[in-house]
Amino acid sequence: MISGGKYQWTKHSLYKMRYYGLSAQRIKRVVRHPARTEEAIVPNLIAVMCPNKKQEIWAMYRIEKGKSQSEKYFRIITAWRYPGKSSARNPIPQEILDEIRNIIT
């Protein structure tokens, strides 16, 4: 696990970013400003997406608490490119999205 500020990267996420040619800055941008946010297939994880030309860039993460109660960070689980346009699944309720935006800013 690699940590840096508000973000922690799993070895799997680093491997996938290298495989798909994605930078850490690009994944941070997807997390901060997603075009679509959904509940991930895995419980307690969030999937976010930004379109990029004829494909989509996805990231899956979990919000975790730090040493103090007010300290929170994003643990990036994985990232990938999806060719074409994926269908929408299960959207996240608005109050959860607002809480995530408060953490980011």
Side-chain angles (χ1 to χ4, degrees), residues 10-27:
T10 61
K11 288 183 181 181
H12 176 78
S13 67
L14 296 173
Y15 169 78
K16 288 297 187 176
M17 289 165 52
R18 191 172 26 243
Y19 179 82
Y20 288 109
L22 299 168
S23 67
Q25 281 304 114
R26 182 65 174 137
I27 298 304

Side-chain angles (χ1 to χ4, degrees), residues 50-73:
C50 277
N52 184 20
K53 298 181 183 175
K54 296 182 179 183
Q55 60 188 353
E56 297 172 341
I57 297 175
W58 283 86
M60 190 180 301
Y61 66 92
R62 177 174 51 211
I63 299 173
E64 300 206 358
K65 294 181 182 173
K67 294 177 183 177
S68 68
Q69 286 290 353
S70 63
E71 183 181 328
K72 295 183 181 179
Y73 61 90

Side-chain angles (χ1 to χ4, degrees), residues 1-2 5-7 13 20 27 32 36 39 48-49 54 60 62-63 67 69 71 77 94 98-100:
M1 184 106 28
I2 311 295
K6 288 186 171 185
Y7 298 88
S13 67
Y20 288 109
I27 298 304
R32 287 184 193 129
R36 193 163 86 209
E39 289 183 51
V48 290
M49 178 277 296
K54 296 182 179 183
M60 190 180 301
R62 177 174 51 211
I63 299 173
K67 294 177 183 177
Q69 286 290 353
E71 183 181 328
I77 306 299
Q94 187 61 41
D98 292 339
E99 182 180 339
I100 292 169

Side-chain angles (χ1 to χ4, degrees), residues 4-7 9 24-37 46 48-50 59 61 74 76 97 100-105:
K6 288 186 171 185
Y7 298 88
W9 308 87
Q25 281 304 114
R26 182 65 174 137
I27 298 304
K28 287 179 186 180
R29 189 172 352 142
V30 171
V31 171
R32 287 184 193 129
H33 307 290
R36 193 163 86 209
T37 305
I46 299 168
V48 290
M49 178 277 296
C50 277
Y61 66 92
F74 297 95
I76 308 297
L97 292 174
I100 292 169
R101 285 190 186 100
N102 287 337
I103 293 169
I104 293 172
T105 57

